Amino acid sequence: MAFPGAHTLLDYNAPFDVPMLDQIITAFYTPGADPTMRSEAEKVMTSLQEHEMMWTRADAILEQSSNPNTKFFALQVLEGVIKYRWNALPDDQREGIKNFISNLIIKLSTDAVSFRRDRAFINKVNAVLVQILKHDWPVRWASFVPDLVGAAKQSESLCENCMNILRLLSEEVFDFSRGELTQAKITELKNALNTDFPLIHDLCEFVLTHSQKSELIQKTLQTLHAFLSWIPLGYIFESSLLDTLLKLSPNPEFRNVALQCLGEIGGLAVEPKYDTHFVTLYVTVITQLQTILPRTVKIAEAYANGSDDEQAYIQNLAIFLTQFFKHHIALLETTPENQQHLLVGVEYLLNISYTDEPEVFKVCLDYWHVLVCDLYQSDGDANAGGGGEFSFAPAGNGGGGGGGGGGGSTRRMMYAGSMSQLRLLMVSRMAKPEEVLIVEDENGNIVRETLKDNDVLVQYKIMRETLIYLAHLDHKDTETQMLSKLSNQLNGKEYSWNVLNTLCWAIGSISGSMAEDQENRFLVTAIRDLLNLCEVTRGKDHKAVIASNIMYVVGQYPRFLRLHWKFLKTVVNKLFEFMHETHPGVQDMACDTFLKIAIKCKRKFVIMQVGEHEPFVDELLRSIGETIRDLEPHQIHTFYEAVGHMIASEVNPAKREEYVQRLMDPPNQTWNAIMATAKVQGADSLKPQEVIKNLGNILKTNTSACVSLGQPFQNQMSSIFADVLNVYKLYSELISQSIAEGGPYASRTSLVKAMRTVKREVLRLVETFVERCEDPHLVAQQLVPPMMDPVLGDYARNVPDARDAEVLSLYAAIINKVEGAMIDEVPKIFEAVFECTLQMITVNFEDFPDHRLKFFSLLRAITNHCFRALFTLAPDQLKLVVDSIVWAFRHTERNIAETGLNLLLEMTKFFQVSEFCNQFHLSFYLSLIQEIFAVMTDGFHKPGFKLHALLLQNLFTIAESESLSAPLWDVSAKGPGGYQNNAAFVKEHVSNLLTTSFPNMSIAEATVLVQGMFDYKSDLALFKNHLRDFLVQTKQFKTSDNSAMFAEEQAARQSAERARVDAIPGMLPPNQIDMGDD
């Protein structure tokens, strides 16, 4: 053994060997130590941590050891027992720990030298004390705050640490308690803090007015900052606290934390009696600010060259201004004098918004979005669509915080200058939209984007909405600023990639916000200038940037293109030109834009336009070979999908059929040639890699056309279906042969992989047609029977590595389409895919991820549409189905677990109203209850909380319903009258289950919890809150992120806000607006 004598550490009858523990912990933490020694040390440390009496050694370790890591180890052990077993300890032991920790804190904090030296260790001891307080205060330790305040007056370093403890306590109760403490405990602690606050307030006031020690003042201000969001308002406005903060705020030593405190106060929404205090607060800060940071300073440059402290000040200033304006801007709009101060603050915020620091910009942008939305809504015309020259009628009330008697128009005039500057800011800093694929890399080269930056996409969304509001507030200024910046690009005054990009992204983002005639005038100029810029600029990179901008802008204005055929035709021909441009990203963007325009303007291409001698689609189909000559296969697929949308909009069936034939002619010619060769030369002609690759691409082209054509694809599908199935069969045989000859590894060779790609494309094509087909009868009669053996039989016969998950999703799609008509086929599907797939996916949680999700989706389709087919299963097969669902929701992959939970919810509801209700619940009720509690409390499945709650609610409701008449308990052991009813049995069963699973839970606690679950089952919101409290009591949700448990409430709030915003003209992106067919 690496540490002889280490076993004596677990002998609780002998004195504890602290030097031995020091040696073990040193071996574990020493960088580059011998791995064997380290592993041995870890084992000893784990066994010590897991021993239930180890905490009794903590005092000896903390007093005798001089190794910081050993001390931290002892504190961890102590923290564990306090968190999870505190209430199980006898009173005298609890008192002992409390006194020991309190004395240790006093001892460490009284001496200023050790207080500075051991700061990290003292912070950990403070955290342990706060864990005790969460259990014992205020009921078992009512004197805590008076004791602490009394101790704080003994020495300045002790006072500083008392401030740290108070701050920690406030954060634990007000910031981090959700999901960590029960709701009753949170209320109790908040009330206790409010009750004892006078003592804390006096201590803070005393320090701020009498102390000369800057560290102590800093700490006191930080503690105050943590308190300001919840303390009774009288302590802020009716004491000298606000004046003290305003006196400290110009002092370079304290200005950062003082400004943070003032920002917290500025963000309080309170009753009008404190309005004058808020005005004084703002005016004082703005007056001081003009001395600290004169208005002439370029803040973006000052930030770039400033120290950490100066940068933090600018960040805090942004937070102060945005917080204050969000809650109290109306107070500053009332008098001309206050308006002057207000506009100075807005000017500072505009200046700060140019800072090249994403976090600072986000703070500013968030407020600009709020302000422009408020200005838009406070106007009388807010809901009147995007009128011509947008006029604001005087409104009776200021709305949204408007103060002046002139209503919205007066407010708009007051902010006009600032809003004009804000437009300039938005245009010059516009974020990149998702559709733009061409970016500048760190070496200044123009390249195709490889990864999407989600932060940038979120920022674009907010900036887009802000610009739309700004456009509504003054269309003329928006148009003038954008076109003047564009003309500066054309004349070379301001030309640069970045300026052009942000300008075009801004132009594209305000689509839909103007009236038609104004949008037409604006766009004609903008697109003409961009096309001219493309003509006069030389250099491939420059052309690529301009091309990407033209494509983005035209893609955003489908309404304009639909009204101007000549422009639309020019744009599409320009896109065809870009399809021959081999610069990275240009062809992709040309095809994507073409698809976007084809979806929105599809009818324009199939009708005869004025001045044309044929519909555009005729011309397009005639030269299709030339147009797609330089495109990659994936780009050709996008192109085919786009043309499919045009053809699908043709109302004449004969004409439409002719177009489909002409569109599919190029791939059909290649396909027919390959098939003809195969008939003459046999299967060997289909083995070369080039042929396999060609077949795969032709199938993908068919799938793309099918996606957009839908039902009109039927004749094309019929003409190739037999050949497609033969190719599938042939490649299945070749793959099986390869695996039979070469063993399982043959499934990984490049030839087998290529053949499997073709098989998968066949399945995808059939699945796409099934989903888009409008005739379920056709699917059931003509597609399903011929596929039974080639597809299902092949799946069952193959080795696991050669089974395609797409078979499962294809049959799920078929069942979803033809519904009950598939009921007779379900047993055959079960026979072919069920057991063999389960064997693949239940070995572990990692292998065959695609099969997992698709298997459960198939099961869900069967449950929803062919439920009665489950009744025909033998009991052991039904058990296999339920076991597989349990396996799904145990999965740590969120989408698989959610599919399993939804499936179980649907299945239990179906069984509940069927004649098999008793049989199903007698077999599975108790095991399902146990499994759901297991995943709900294991800490790995928090995102499933909403569905866990729904399932438990449903199962508890069934227990009390008449539909479940058979007793759930063991009648042979307890007799038919063993329990009054099923509900009484389930309550006792679940209480026992909880006390066995959680040894820290008493039977009385468990009974109360279970009774609560039954009491609240008819109100889902109360039921979920009760479950959250239960999870806190199991101690499973400690020290981790619990936001997933509250995700549903958050989503509901976001969806309501979204609906409100989407009603504003221009807010819905053009690709999400259903424009219908002209």
Side-chain angles (χ1 to χ4, degrees):
M1 192 176 173
F3 303 102
H7 63 280
T8 60
L9 294 175
L10 289 170
D11 179 1
Y12 286 86
N13 297 319
F16 192 75
D17 188 348
V18 175
M20 167 61 75
L21 182 63
D22 278 341
Q23 189 188 336
I24 291 166
I25 285 179
T26 304
F28 180 75
Y29 282 106
T30 305
D34 172 11
T36 320
M37 291 276 282
R38 204 161 171 220
S39 165
E40 280 292 323
E42 186 175 18
K43 279 183 197 162
V44 176
M45 287 163 68
T46 308
S47 64
L48 287 172
Q49 261 182 322
E50 287 172 354
H51 197 288
E52 61 176 19
M53 293 306 290
M54 182 61 196
W55 67 271
T56 59
R57 306 295 204 183
D59 55 345
I61 299 169
L62 291 168
E63 282 168 0
Q64 294 171 37
S65 174
S66 55
N67 181 337
N69 289 325
T70 309
K71 290 180 166 186
F72 270 101
F73 176 75
L75 284 174
Q76 258 178 320
V77 170
L78 202 51
E79 191 172 28
V81 86
I82 293 166
K83 267 185 177 180
Y84 303 123
R85 289 170 46 216
W86 184 253
N87 291 328
L89 297 179
D91 288 354
D92 57 331
Q93 291 183 345
R94 285 204 298 252
E95 280 305 309
I97 296 175
K98 232 162 27 184
N99 292 335
F100 173 73
I101 291 291
S102 304
N103 293 333
L104 182 61
I105 286 174
I106 291 170
K107 180 177 145 193
L108 291 167
S109 310
T110 308
D111 174 29
V113 179
S114 69
F115 179 64
R116 297 271 166 259
R117 186 187 62 225
D118 302 328
R119 178 153 296 180
F121 177 60
I122 293 170
N123 287 343
K124 184 69 180 170
V125 184
N126 290 343
V128 172
L129 177 68
V130 170
Q131 287 302 334
I132 295 175
L133 290 170
K134 280 159 73 173
H135 289 288
D136 275 15
W137 181 67
V139 177
R140 291 194 290 237
W141 195 354
S143 65
F144 166 69
V145 172
D147 294 349
L148 188 79
V149 171
K153 293 181 178 167
Q154 292 174 22
S155 81
E156 292 203 293
S157 55
L158 182 53
C159 183
E160 194 177 325
N161 196 44
C162 290
M163 291 296 176
N164 288 338
I165 293 168
L166 288 168
R167 192 184 81 252
L168 264 179
L169 179 60
S170 171
E171 286 169 353
E172 282 290 331
V173 174
F174 285 93
D175 301 340
F176 309 129
S177 57
R178 194 163 81 150
E180 296 277 332
L181 299 168
T182 64
Q183 312 201 19
K185 187 67 186 171
I186 295 171
T187 309
E188 182 186 34
L189 291 175
K190 285 183 176 176
N191 289 340
L193 266 174
N194 269 309
T195 307
D196 286 339
F197 190 73
L199 293 168
I200 300 171
H201 173 263
D202 293 346
L203 177 65
C204 293
E205 280 273 70
F206 180 79
V207 171
L208 292 177
T209 47
H210 294 91
S211 177
Q212 301 301 311
K213 198 172 177 196
S214 64
E215 288 102 331
L216 178 55
I217 295 174
Q218 283 271 18
K219 273 286 173 290
T220 306
L221 288 170
Q222 284 167 10
T223 304
L224 261 176
H225 181 244
F227 288 171
L228 285 166
S229 61
W230 58 263
I231 63 176
L233 296 172
Y235 289 107
I236 299 175
F237 300 113
E238 292 164 25
S239 73
S240 57
L241 181 60
L242 190 54
D243 293 336
T244 309
L245 287 171
L246 288 169
K247 279 194 195 97
L248 290 170
S249 65
N251 184 328
E253 246 188 316
F254 309 123
R255 68 183 177 202
N256 264 321
V257 68
L259 194 56
Q260 283 176 326
C261 291
L262 293 169
E264 195 67 53
I265 295 171
L268 296 173
V270 299
E271 60 261 46
K273 68 175 178 180
Y274 297 120
D275 284 355
T276 52
H277 294 281
F278 281 110
V279 173
T280 309
L281 158 64
Y282 175 80
V283 171
T284 311
V285 171
I286 283 294
T287 311
Q288 290 173 354
L289 180 58
Q290 292 174 64
T291 315
I292 299 168
L293 197 66
R295 285 164 70 180
T296 50
V297 171
K298 289 192 172 169
I299 293 180
E301 284 175 24
Y303 186 92
N305 305 319
S307 64
D308 287 352
D309 224 34
E310 289 164 339
Q311 290 186 342
Y313 182 73
I314 289 171
Q315 196 156 357
N316 290 330
L317 178 59
I319 292 168
F320 169 79
L321 290 169
T322 54
Q323 283 293 86
F324 192 93
F325 289 159
K326 269 183 198 173
H327 296 92
H328 306 290
I329 199 162
L331 301 178
L332 302 172
E333 293 173 348
T334 47
T335 68
E337 190 186 354
N338 286 346
Q339 285 174 11
Q340 280 309 107
H341 290 300
L342 164 60
L343 293 174
V344 171
V346 171
E347 181 191 317
Y348 270 109
L349 197 56
L350 278 162
N351 215 334
I352 294 170
S353 302
Y354 281 97
T355 304
D356 195 18
E357 164 57 51
E359 291 311 311
V360 176
F361 182 64
K362 273 184 203 166
V363 169
C364 300
L365 175 61
D366 178 48
Y367 176 65
W368 293 130
H369 183 264
V370 170
L371 176 64
V372 292
C373 172
D374 179 28
L375 284 173
Y376 172 78
Q377 287 177 332
S378 69
D379 181 80
D381 236 1
N383 301 315
E389 298 302 315
F390 205 82
S391 70
F392 283 75
N397 63 350
S409 310
T410 318
R411 290 187 78 205
R412 193 187 72 159
M413 282 164 61
M414 181 175 76
Y415 289 107
S418 305
M419 292 302 101
S420 184
Q421 288 174 289
L422 182 57
R423 283 182 197 97
L424 196 61
L425 167 74
M426 288 294 144
V427 171
S428 62
R429 291 207 64 168
M430 193 66 194
K432 187 177 78 62
E434 193 170 12
E435 296 91 334
V436 176
L437 305 175
I438 294 159
V439 292
E440 188 176 349
D441 69 8
E442 62 272 21
N443 304 318
N445 301 318
I446 293 299
V447 294
R448 189 193 193 297
E449 183 179 52
T450 47
L451 285 173
K452 296 275 177 215
D453 184 336
N454 281 331
D455 282 353
V456 171
L457 296 180
V458 170
Q459 192 168 307
Y460 167 75
K461 189 165 161 285
I462 298 171
M463 293 187 81
R464 178 180 169 276
E465 288 186 7
T466 307
L467 252 178
I468 287 170
Y469 283 127
L470 283 167
H472 279 303
L473 291 173
D474 188 341
H475 286 300
K476 201 161 218 60
D477 186 57
T478 308
E479 185 182 340
T480 308
Q481 290 212 38
M482 287 180 174
L483 291 180
S484 106
K485 268 184 97 72
L486 188 55
S487 74
N488 284 344
Q489 294 292 298
L490 202 53
N491 62 30
K493 274 187 199 167
E494 266 186 33
Y495 178 75
S496 81
W497 291 342
N498 185 51
V499 174
L500 179 65
N501 286 340
T502 54
L503 171 60
C504 290
W505 301 340
I507 290 173
S509 71
I510 59 167
S511 160
S513 64
M514 298 182 184
E516 275 182 30
D517 57 336
Q518 195 177 5
E519 184 173 276
N520 296 348
R521 194 175 64 236
F522 171 62
L523 264 188
V524 167
T525 314
I527 295 174
R528 189 190 60 221
D529 284 359
L530 283 169
L531 289 169
N532 287 344
L533 190 60
C534 196
E535 293 304 318
V536 301
T537 310
R538 295 284 163 264
K540 271 187 125 33
D541 276 357
H542 290 295
K543 280 196 176 299
V545 171
I546 299 166
S548 94
N549 282 315
I550 291 173
M551 291 188 281
Y552 173 65
V553 170
V554 296
Q556 293 304 102
Y557 284 92
R559 179 174 73 174
F560 170 78
L561 294 176
R562 285 166 65 135
L563 292 171
H564 300 84
W565 165 249
K566 284 275 189 291
F567 239 100
L568 174 56
K569 186 178 177 184
T570 307
V571 162
V572 171
N573 284 327
K574 196 73 184 169
L575 291 176
F576 291 169
E577 199 181 296
F578 291 149
M579 285 177 194
H580 300 290
E581 174 58 68
T582 53
H583 197 291
V586 174
Q587 288 171 305
D588 277 314
M589 212 169 152
C591 293
D592 290 352
T593 308
F594 179 51
L595 173 60
K596 198 191 262 189
I597 289 174
I599 291 170
K600 290 298 175 192
C601 308
K602 46 186 178 271
R603 286 283 295 146
K604 299 294 167 192
F605 299 103
V606 293
I607 56 176
M608 184 76 81
Q609 297 288 350
V610 178
E612 303 286 347
H613 62 279
E614 61 181 356
F616 184 81
V617 71
D618 275 309
E619 186 186 324
L620 185 154
L621 291 170
R622 207 168 31 251
S623 55
I624 192 166
E626 170 58 26
T627 307
I628 63 175
R629 184 191 66 217
D630 295 325
L631 296 179
E632 296 290 317
H634 73 276
Q635 294 159 346
I636 292 173
H637 305 149
T638 306
F639 187 92
Y640 264 70
E641 187 185 336
V643 182
H645 282 291
M646 296 176 184
I647 295 172
S649 71
E650 172 56 69
V651 288
N652 179 337
K655 200 96 180 116
R656 190 172 59 220
E657 190 50 46
E658 178 212 325
Y659 287 152
V660 174
Q661 282 177 2
R662 285 171 64 189
L663 172 67
M664 300 314 295
D665 200 38
N668 283 348
Q669 281 178 8
T670 315
W671 176 269
N672 294 334
I674 294 171
M675 292 302 120
T677 311
K679 279 180 185 139
V680 177
Q681 297 177 10
D684 286 351
S685 70
L686 296 179
K687 286 183 183 173
Q689 289 270 20
E690 196 50 44
V691 175
I692 297 174
K693 192 174 164 190
N694 259 341
L695 287 173
N697 280 328
I698 293 167
L699 287 165
K700 282 179 183 169
T701 305
N702 273 278
T703 307
S704 296
C706 180
V707 163
S708 51
L709 281 165
Q711 188 65 36
F713 189 75
Q714 183 186 332
N715 287 349
Q716 167 69 9
M717 189 71 188
S718 305
S719 69
I720 61 170
F721 188 59
D723 278 344
V724 164
L725 269 189
N726 286 333
V727 167
Y728 189 91
K729 271 190 227 170
L730 175 72
Y731 282 148
S732 294
E733 285 159 16
L734 288 174
I735 290 168
S736 301
Q737 193 183 323
S738 300
I739 291 171
E741 290 166 7
Y745 291 105
S747 67
R748 298 189 186 118
T749 61
S750 59
L751 178 66
V752 169
K753 279 182 175 172
M755 291 192 286
R756 283 192 65 190
T757 301
V758 173
K759 282 181 68 182
R760 277 198 287 268
E761 288 312 324
V762 168
L763 295 168
R764 284 192 188 118
L765 172 60
V766 179
E767 186 181 337
T768 305
F769 181 69
V770 166
E771 285 172 344
R772 299 285 287 118
C773 176
E774 291 159 18
D775 182 358
H777 185 71
L778 170 87
V779 174
Q781 300 294 314
Q782 291 182 25
L783 293 187
V784 174
M787 287 195 304
M788 272 301 171
D789 185 69
V791 176
L792 273 184
D794 170 65
Y795 184 91
R797 289 188 292 270
N798 256 324
V799 297
D801 278 343
R803 289 186 188 128
D804 295 308
E806 287 72 13
V807 171
L808 305 172
S809 58
L810 168 60
Y811 276 89
I814 290 171
I815 291 170
N816 285 328
K817 177 62 70 175
V818 305
E819 298 180 351
M822 278 296 285
I823 200 156
D824 296 336
E825 310 295 336
V826 169
K828 297 175 199 166
I829 297 172
F830 263 120
E831 193 183 332
V833 307
F834 200 76
E835 287 190 45
C836 65
T837 308
L838 268 182
Q839 285 162 7
M840 291 161 60
I841 64 176
T842 52
V843 176
N844 56 40
F845 279 139
E846 285 81 41
D847 298 344
F848 306 109
D850 287 350
H851 290 73
R852 290 170 193 279
L853 199 51
K854 289 175 177 168
F855 174 75
F856 293 115
S857 299
L858 170 61
L859 206 47
R860 208 171 161 189
I862 292 170
T863 302
N864 280 308
H865 301 299
C866 306
F867 181 68
R868 300 202 72 77
L870 296 178
F871 301 159
T872 63
L873 297 178
D876 55 337
Q877 278 186 303
L878 184 59
K879 183 176 185 314
L880 205 55
V881 171
V882 176
D883 287 350
S884 72
I885 295 172
V886 171
W887 180 261
F889 68 66
R890 276 188 198 160
H891 211 286
T892 47
E893 188 72 41
R894 181 173 177 172
N895 48 1
I896 295 173
E898 282 192 1
T899 305
L901 290 165
N902 278 312
L903 176 51
L904 181 59
L905 190 59
E906 287 154 6
M907 193 179 275
T908 50
K909 284 182 175 173
F910 279 125
F911 268 112
Q912 195 178 345
V913 294
S914 77
E915 63 271 35
F916 297 97
C917 178
N918 283 338
Q919 284 156 274
F920 179 80
H921 290 102
L922 284 174
S923 306
F924 304 113
Y925 187 95
L926 299 181
S927 62
L928 287 174
I929 285 263
Q930 183 167 349
E931 291 292 351
I932 294 162
F933 271 112
V935 288
M936 189 168 75
T937 55
D938 67 5
F940 299 117
H941 295 86
K942 289 177 200 171
F945 176 75
K946 169 194 164 189
L947 288 164
H948 299 151
L950 282 168
L951 277 161
L952 286 175
Q953 182 192 31
N954 194 39
L955 288 170
F956 289 151
T957 306
I958 293 170
E960 286 190 339
S961 77
E962 290 175 8
S963 52
L964 178 57
S965 52
L968 289 169
W969 61 90
D970 182 356
V971 176
S972 60
K974 298 269 187 181
Y979 290 89
Q980 190 182 347
N981 51 34
N982 276 327
F985 165 70
V986 170
K987 286 174 192 173
E988 184 183 300
H989 176 80
V990 175
S991 299
N992 292 336
L993 175 68
L994 297 182
T995 48
T996 3
S997 307
F998 304 105
N1000 59 328
M1001 192 176 282
S1002 68
I1003 190 76
E1005 274 183 297
T1007 308
V1008 170
L1009 281 166
V1010 175
Q1011 185 57 50
M1013 291 176 198
F1014 271 84
D1015 292 345
Y1016 297 133
K1017 68 183 185 304
S1018 54
D1019 183 328
L1020 183 60
L1022 288 174
F1023 186 74
K1024 284 199 294 190
N1025 275 338
H1026 187 70
L1027 282 184
R1028 288 181 185 125
D1029 279 355
F1030 154 69
L1031 290 168
V1032 170
Q1033 282 166 275
T1034 62
K1035 300 290 184 262
Q1036 292 293 327
F1037 276 70
K1038 285 282 170 194
T1039 62
S1040 57
D1041 175 17
N1042 301 310
S1043 53
M1045 290 201 298
F1046 300 89
E1048 191 188 1
E1049 289 82 348
Q1050 177 70 6
R1053 285 194 294 273
Q1054 287 171 342
S1055 141
E1057 174 59 14
R1058 204 57 258 151
R1060 184 190 67 71
V1061 170
D1062 287 348
I1064 295 163
M1067 280 299 179
L1068 263 183
N1071 59 333
Q1072 290 176 25
I1073 299 172
D1074 181 15
M1075 294 184 159
D1077 287 340
D1078 304 63

